[in-house]
Amino acid sequence: MTATGPKATPTVRGAASATIGVEEEFVLVDPHTGRPRLRNLDVIEAGRELGIDLTVELSRCQIETATAVCTHPQDLREQLRRSRAVAAEAAARAGCRLVAVGTPIFEPPAGSTTDTPRYQRMAQHFGGIADGVICGCHVHIGVDDRDRAVEIINHLRPWLPTLLALTANSPIADGRDTGYADWRYLRWGRWPSAGPPPQCASAAEYDAAVESLLATGTILDPRMVYWDVRISARHPTIEIRVADVPATVEETVTLATLVYALVAGATASIERGEAAPSVGQDLLRAACWRAARDGLAGRGVDPCSAQPVPAVELIRRLLVRVGPVLEELDAYRSVDEALTVVLARGNGAIRQRRILDHGGSLTDVIADAARRTVEGCTPDLS
């Protein structure tokens, strides 16, 4: 794609040196009907036999994969290919099909909460909020210093709507088009701790915000801080959680590489003494809503100018912003080509709707999504 827009901020040599890891969440469906199957424990057992560690999620029709810790975002590609392929094989052995969608096309039956003490407690405390199934992609970037992590989060906040639009993959839920490219984000927003993070001046201020959520019963434990980017409660990382699970491995690699470059660029800006843009919480929330509504197919909001901008232009501005880091990583060409493909063919949301627009059925949408889930993946079952 042609990168046009504001001048890029130069980086410094060596800024891109953090670790990176990715978690992906998937829906398990019946191979024939496409309806969710509540068999995550069976799939996890089959995965164990195949040599992959899968984990449960809130609903019994979900599983999660995780890569190892990597030192370069491009190292993720083969790991993601293998994890998706082996997870798909584990699902097949358990009588299921693995699908990368932000929300299931059909809703699971009642009582689908995974039977662990934590998830059962969440379901009891939050009621109907816990019923909606959502599948995201979480990118972890290693940051040891918590005050530095807060500064980086502040620099990332304006780019969250663009990452959201790029990865939108959930227009259909409960058997109908919701009118949103990213229904997962709207469904996720029902949780009281979800949405853009506050702009904090220090780790102490960040921790005080978390403590207030705990003290008021808004969250039950620190892992329930569901901000779109947060300091991980379990790892020395910041965790970018704004994205749907992308439709393909290549889209996940592109997302992870862009996030890695944004963090490296933010680190360089901080080291030069540059303050993060001041973006109000209400405006940022509005920009994320617009990104969820239109995805790549319409207009977004530039959080810094508060002006409507075509989503494609926001993607170009993002590429300009991270271009110097991508060059340092020797990843500019691969990211540029991947973005060109996504903009030409459409992301998950666009392709799901295109099938329906051409007379396809909901089961056709699910079958296509399942194929794209393992596109380019070769299982290593040795």
Side-chain angles (χ1 to χ4, degrees):
M1 64 183 295
T2 302
T4 60
K7 185 178 179 181
T9 301
T11 185
V12 295
R13 199 71 184 169
S17 58
T19 58
I20 183 171
V22 171
E23 300 162 341
E24 294 190 293
E25 298 165 343
F26 301 94
V27 176
L28 303 169
V29 303
D30 184 280
H32 306 293
T33 67
R35 294 190 175 274
R37 298 207 73 182
L38 310 183
R39 304 198 65 178
N40 59 359
L41 295 181
D42 296 329
V43 174
I44 288 171
E45 179 59 32
R48 191 174 296 116
E49 295 172 356
L50 292 169
I52 187 172
D53 291 326
L54 306 171
T55 56
V56 297
E57 277 299 319
L58 182 58
S59 172
R60 286 187 285 151
C61 70
Q62 292 175 278
I63 61 163
E64 181 182 78
T65 63
T67 70
V69 177
C70 298
T71 57
H72 192 292
Q74 297 301 308
D75 296 338
L76 295 168
R77 180 175 282 103
E78 289 308 314
Q79 289 200 36
L80 289 165
R81 284 174 173 169
R82 181 183 185 277
S83 65
R84 284 197 180 201
V86 179
E89 174 62 23
R93 293 188 181 190
C96 305
R97 199 170 191 184
L98 190 77
V99 185
V101 286
T103 53
I105 305 301
F106 300 110
E107 295 302 299
S112 70
T113 303
T114 297
D115 190 17
T116 66
R118 180 171 183 265
Y119 286 146
Q120 289 294 322
R121 184 180 174 218
M122 287 169 58
Q124 183 177 11
H125 188 80
F126 292 98
I129 290 178
D131 290 340
V133 175
I134 51 179
C135 292
C137 177
H138 308 154
V139 182
H140 287 259
I141 307 294
V143 181
D144 291 329
D145 184 274
R146 288 173 57 81
D147 282 309
R148 174 57 59 87
V150 169
E151 291 183 279
I152 291 172
I153 288 172
N154 291 340
H155 279 266
L156 293 184
R157 290 172 77 249
W159 297 105
L160 293 173
T162 304
L163 297 174
L164 177 63
L166 177 64
T167 58
N169 188 27
S170 52
I172 302 168
D174 200 18
R176 65 181 181 87
D177 190 320
T178 64
Y180 288 80
D182 196 322
W183 184 245
R184 177 202 62 90
Y185 193 77
L186 273 292
R187 181 174 277 180
W188 189 231
R190 299 184 302 180
W191 291 90
S193 57
Q199 189 156 348
C200 298
S202 64
E205 185 175 328
Y206 180 99
D207 291 341
V210 173
E211 183 56 38
S212 69
L213 294 174
L214 286 164
T216 57
T218 305
I219 60 176
L220 301 180
D221 58 51
R223 291 167 60 189
M224 287 193 68
V225 174
Y226 290 151
W227 292 328
D228 297 333
V229 53
R230 69 181 184 182
I231 300 175
S232 173
R234 295 184 290 176
H235 308 290
T237 65
I238 58 172
E239 183 181 358
I240 295 82
R241 307 165 51 85
V242 73
D244 279 8
V245 60
T248 66
V249 163
E250 287 305 312
E251 289 171 67
T252 298
V253 173
T254 301
L255 167 70
T257 306
L258 289 170
V259 167
Y260 188 89
L262 279 169
V263 172
T267 300
S269 294
I270 292 165
E271 290 175 351
R272 289 191 297 270
E274 299 172 4
S278 180
V279 179
Q281 193 75 354
D282 289 343
L283 176 59
L284 186 54
R285 189 175 294 275
C288 285
W289 174 85
R290 185 74 194 210
R293 180 184 181 274
D294 284 14
L296 284 182
R299 297 172 72 81
V301 176
D302 181 342
C304 294
S305 68
Q307 296 300 310
V309 178
V312 173
E313 175 60 23
L314 292 173
I315 298 295
R316 292 193 178 101
R317 293 181 186 181
L318 172 59
L319 185 58
V320 168
R321 173 68 182 181
V322 300
V325 178
L326 294 178
E327 293 284 6
E328 181 180 329
L329 292 168
D330 194 25
Y332 185 93
R333 181 175 179 180
S334 63
V335 170
D336 183 44
E337 290 176 350
L339 290 174
T340 298
V341 169
V342 169
L343 294 180
R345 299 181 182 177
N347 59 8
I350 291 172
R351 295 180 68 169
Q352 286 185 40
R353 283 173 163 159
R354 188 177 294 152
I355 291 170
L356 295 182
D357 290 343
H358 288 80
S361 66
L362 293 174
T363 53
D364 292 331
V365 172
I366 297 167
D368 181 73
R371 285 191 296 270
R372 287 185 288 112
T373 299
V374 292
E375 185 177 274
C377 301
T378 301
D380 178 6
L381 306 181
S382 58

